[in-house]
Amino acid sequence: MSERGERTEDQRGVSGPSPLWEVFVRARRGLSHTHVGSLHAPDAELALRNARDLYTRRQEGVSIWVVPAGAITASSPDEKDAFFDPAADKVYRHPTFYDVPDGVAHL
Amino acid sequence: MYGNDFSAEDAPGGGLLGEVEAAEVALREAAARGRRGGAPGPDEDLEAYFAEVIDADQKIEPRDWMPEAYRRTLIRQIAQHAHSEIIGMQPEGNWISRAPSLKRKAILLAKVQDEAGHGLYLYAAAETLGISRDELVELLLNGRQKYSSIFNYPTLTWADVGAIGWLVDGAAIVNQVPLCRCSYGPYARAMIRVCKEESFHQRQGYEILHTLAHGTPGQKAMAQDSLDRWWYPSLAMFGPPDTDSTHSAQSMAWKIKRFSNDELRQRFVDMCVQQAEILGLTIPDPDLRWNESRQSYDFTQPDYDELMRVIKGEGPCNRQRMEHRRRAHDDGAWVREAAAAYAAKRVEKKEKVAA
């Protein structure tokens, strides 16, 4: 169950630790893939098989993505506020910002 | 339904699974109550911010600031939990080849596979705290981190597989259901997953014992014998009494732990009494009786000196369990190496084609 986008896990040497993969599962047709956890595997094919055995033993999914954890770029927690601030002062992006005159339909 | 001391009203369904579902709902609700922005400003007091998140019953996530002691406590607890799942495969695995029918064998295989899965969910949760899988494996193999002492007892008969499911997994669930509400997000989410799967384990164990207890006199005696041997070690799974528990107070304040050892032990005993009656088996405690004023059962405490001895390595199977784990790890080395070499070869080939 991991959310470590920031960790670099590209040690692919034969003796090094097995790379970390983040696993995303589509539970049912019509739903998007959701992050369910992580696992270690030497390559993508084994990561997929391990993900099937680990995260879908009870038919929890119809599709799996595995992504090398090192390939994920995450926003940094230190700049979280500054990073998301630009969205804070744009209340006009929400429909509730606007006064709708009485009696207007279908708006 | 045993635990109406939390989430009584909103628990969908009943029993343990209902509580797990309630914890899942609470997790989503806490997320929906989210604070704007989320992270503390650069001048904000990190410790105060952390306390605020805990007080608001919100989750701490991997990249949040947290006190070093909180991180260390979680790593220790999650790792020991993960190790227990991995070592816990051994006593049951012992019976896969001797299960009394193909159906029982298939079920036991699935259960032992689940235990491996639980170990992996938990290792992954521990890894979010900045420790690597290899370090965790090493800490288990060199004995610096422990696993639950219950797995140092042997499974002598097929009935023991039933007793492990009913009592050991039962005690584990009582311990773990509150952990679904733990303040550390990845741990709470892993526990929700684990608890949902554990309830199959407990029921299959109960069914094994029920079948034996309603079989021949010999089978019933075997079931009773396993209850006699597993009862007190199962009570000891909740840890030392509150008066001697060293980590409890701080863990409660951090909302890692939600109930004390003795509270959980009492809850477990209260659950088991009626279940044992339906099995037609006798809990090996002559002093077990209902206490009207406490609305709970009075019972004999397990032998905590024995617990300490087993934890220190003097249980019946400590050496065997560790030896087996080390051997399995060593025997698996060539598989890990071959898989890594194959992956490296394929990368190399791809690079050649690209060049």
Side-chain angles (χ1 to χ4, degrees):
Chain A
M1 311 269 145
S2 130
E3 292 102 90
R4 296 140 287 189
E6 78 275 24
R7 279 179 61 184
T8 45
E9 292 277 346
D10 49 358
Q11 316 98 314
R12 278 168 184 274
V14 171
S15 55
S18 181
L20 186 71
W21 302 76
E22 301 296 340
V23 182
F24 300 77
V25 170
R26 181 200 296 284
R28 285 186 304 279
R29 207 160 265 287
L31 298 178
S32 55
H33 284 76
T34 306
H35 182 246
V36 293
S38 64
L39 50 78
H40 289 274
D43 61 23
E45 200 180 320
L46 272 175
L48 260 187
R49 282 172 180 274
N50 290 351
R52 177 201 60 190
D53 292 344
L54 188 56
Y55 291 109
T56 61
R57 283 198 302 282
R58 289 173 174 76
Q59 298 178 297
E60 290 98 335
V62 294
S63 163
I64 303 176
W65 292 347
V66 289
V67 181
I72 294 175
T73 307
S75 59
S76 142
D78 310 330
E79 59 178 23
K80 217 168 174 184
D81 261 8
F83 196 69
F84 292 107
D85 263 354
D89 60 355
K90 293 178 181 61
V91 282
Y92 45 82
R93 279 215 162 100
H94 299 278
T96 46
F97 176 75
Y98 301 92
D99 291 326
V100 178
D102 290 340
V104 180
H106 308 300
L107 195 64
Chain B
M1 178 92 190
Y2 67 91
N4 49 12
D5 43 356
F6 66 106
S7 75
E9 294 94 342
D10 60 348
L16 293 157
L17 268 182
E19 281 180 30
V20 175
E21 270 166 46
E24 205 173 10
V25 170
L27 192 90
R28 278 198 298 272
E29 282 170 0
R33 285 201 307 273
R35 307 146 42 87
R36 190 204 65 78
D43 327 311
E44 230 177 296
D45 179 1
L46 289 170
E47 230 157 301
Y49 177 81
F50 174 83
E52 203 183 304
V53 172
I54 299 267
D55 285 345
D57 253 332
Q58 298 231 310
K59 302 298 172 197
I60 300 293
E61 295 296 342
R63 308 180 67 192
D64 290 340
W65 180 89
M66 60 187 89
E68 206 35 48
Y70 177 84
R71 182 189 301 274
R72 275 200 313 271
T73 301
L74 273 170
I75 288 179
R76 184 180 56 85
Q77 181 173 336
I78 301 174
Q80 294 191 357
H81 193 160
H83 300 330
S84 301
E85 302 281 357
I86 298 301
I87 298 288
M89 288 192 281
Q90 290 185 41
E92 291 181 293
N94 185 32
W95 282 91
I96 289 175
S97 61
R98 287 172 282 172
S101 70
L102 188 57
K103 179 185 125 188
R104 296 286 185 200
K105 192 200 284 274
I107 292 172
L108 188 55
L109 264 171
K111 178 178 191 284
V112 173
Q113 191 194 18
D114 271 355
E115 307 296 0
H118 296 175
L120 293 178
Y121 304 153
L122 289 160
Y123 279 134
E127 282 181 278
T128 64
L129 291 158
I131 189 163
S132 76
R133 173 75 54 85
D134 291 348
E135 284 172 274
L136 290 166
V137 169
E138 190 52 37
L139 284 166
L140 170 65
L141 294 182
N142 68 21
R144 283 183 46 219
Q145 279 184 342
K146 304 279 184 214
Y147 53 88
S148 179
S149 59
I150 192 80
F151 301 117
N152 291 317
Y153 290 88
T155 40
L156 303 177
T157 68
W158 170 249
D160 287 359
V161 176
I164 286 189
W166 175 41
L167 294 175
V168 176
D169 290 329
I173 293 172
V174 169
N175 239 330
Q176 289 168 9
V177 164
L179 291 176
C180 296
R181 291 168 182 267
C182 162
S183 61
Y184 188 58
Y187 193 27
R189 290 190 288 274
M191 288 320 303
I192 287 174
R193 223 186 151 86
V194 168
C195 284
K196 283 183 175 173
E197 300 185 359
E198 283 290 349
S199 68
F200 135 58
H201 298 179
Q202 193 190 15
R203 284 181 193 185
Q204 69 88 34
Y206 191 78
E207 193 207 56
I208 288 174
L209 284 183
H210 193 266
T211 305
L212 289 174
H214 293 81
T216 65
Q219 287 171 329
K220 185 169 182 179
M222 190 201 277
Q224 180 64 52
D225 167 64
S226 75
L227 171 55
D228 291 347
R229 281 182 291 109
W230 289 92
W231 176 251
Y232 287 104
S234 299
L235 293 189
M237 280 176 71
F238 295 94
D242 294 351
T243 43
D244 303 342
S245 186
T246 41
H247 306 290
S248 282
Q250 182 59 73
S251 286
M252 298 270 256
W254 278 329
K255 294 187 182 168
I256 294 174
K257 219 174 149 163
R258 296 286 186 145
F259 299 96
S260 78
N261 295 353
D262 286 335
E263 281 174 304
L264 293 169
R265 190 168 9 247
Q266 179 72 59
R267 180 181 288 189
F268 176 68
V269 171
D270 290 347
M271 271 174 56
C272 284
V273 173
Q274 188 245 2
Q275 293 171 357
E277 274 167 24
I278 290 177
L279 289 177
L281 300 178
T282 310
I283 291 176
D285 181 356
D287 296 325
L288 182 76
R289 59 180 57 87
W290 179 251
N291 183 324
E292 191 60 35
S293 64
R294 289 200 308 123
Q295 288 293 303
S296 270
Y297 284 91
D298 291 337
F299 62 97
T300 306
Q301 294 290 321
D303 180 352
Y304 294 113
D305 293 337
E306 177 180 318
L307 174 66
M308 288 306 141
R309 282 198 303 276
V310 178
I311 289 175
K312 286 203 181 94
E314 289 156 49
C317 301
N318 295 55
R319 251 168 274 170
Q320 184 187 335
R321 300 290 184 238
M322 285 311 295
E323 241 174 64
H324 184 87
R325 183 84 284 274
R326 286 194 197 101
R327 194 170 58 238
H329 189 72
D330 291 346
D331 288 353
W334 73 268
V335 179
R336 295 191 294 276
E337 280 162 23
Y342 180 67
K345 196 170 92 180
R346 296 228 300 189
V347 169
E348 209 174 287
K349 246 189 200 163
K350 228 189 238 167
E351 278 164 3
K352 250 186 215 156
V353 171

